Amino acid sequence: METKVSKISLLWVIIMVGFAMHILADILPAFWGASIAMPDATGEASMGMIMFIIVMAFTVPMCGLLCMNYRNRKALRIINLALASLMMLFNIFHASELFMEFNPVQLLIHPVMAVLGVYLFVYSLRLVKQKE
């Protein structure tokens, strides 16, 4: 059980780092003077989108890590599985955006994040199915 818990915790941390790298890859061109503003940007930040990004990049993984810290309760392992499912689906759907708007820099990040999401889900499912 401890090996699965370690793998799941590590995957949550790597996913958080992946989101940080995703954001960093988007803002790096600004250091060379390129405009990083979205083409249809109005200067108004969508609070809903900012909150969504914070929830997916930090809150969900942090809650998953906390569930692994208190994994002795089956309910928390099930909550972790639900969070892992959400993360897997989000990463897969977000990676599919590369088909609509190709970005070679994000090509290095999106597929890895999708694979990490699948592994996280599989390990979390195995932990829930495992007998005490």
Side-chain angles (χ1 to χ4, degrees), residues 44-93:
E44 300 274 328
S46 166
M47 192 55 62
M49 185 56 76
I50 291 171
M51 293 302 293
F52 178 75
I53 291 169
I54 290 170
V55 166
M56 292 308 294
F58 177 76
T59 308
V60 169
M62 192 56 63
C63 289
L65 278 170
L66 286 171
C67 287
M68 288 296 90
N69 195 37
Y70 301 102
R71 66 197 168 274
N72 293 332
R73 298 182 63 196
K74 183 160 180 138
L76 291 175
R77 292 194 305 265
I78 292 172
I79 291 170
N80 176 70
L81 177 62
L83 294 173
S85 302
L86 176 66
M87 188 59 63
M88 177 186 68
L89 292 173
F90 174 75
N91 284 334
I92 289 170
F93 287 129

Side-chain angles (χ1 to χ4, degrees), residues 93-127:
F93 287 129
H94 191 51
S96 70
E97 291 177 2
L98 284 173
F99 294 115
M100 293 175 264
E101 185 179 331
F102 182 74
N103 181 340
V105 174
Q106 295 300 343
L107 180 64
L108 301 173
I109 297 170
H110 284 277
V112 173
M113 292 291 285
V115 169
L116 287 172
V118 171
Y119 274 116
L120 177 64
F121 173 76
V122 169
Y123 286 132
S124 296
L125 182 62
R126 288 179 185 168
L127 186 65

Side-chain angles (χ1 to χ4, degrees), residues 16-35:
M16 289 176 73
V17 170
F19 280 122
M21 295 310 300
H22 181 311
I23 293 167
L24 183 62
D26 281 339
I27 65 170
L28 273 176
F31 291 102
W32 287 274
S35 174

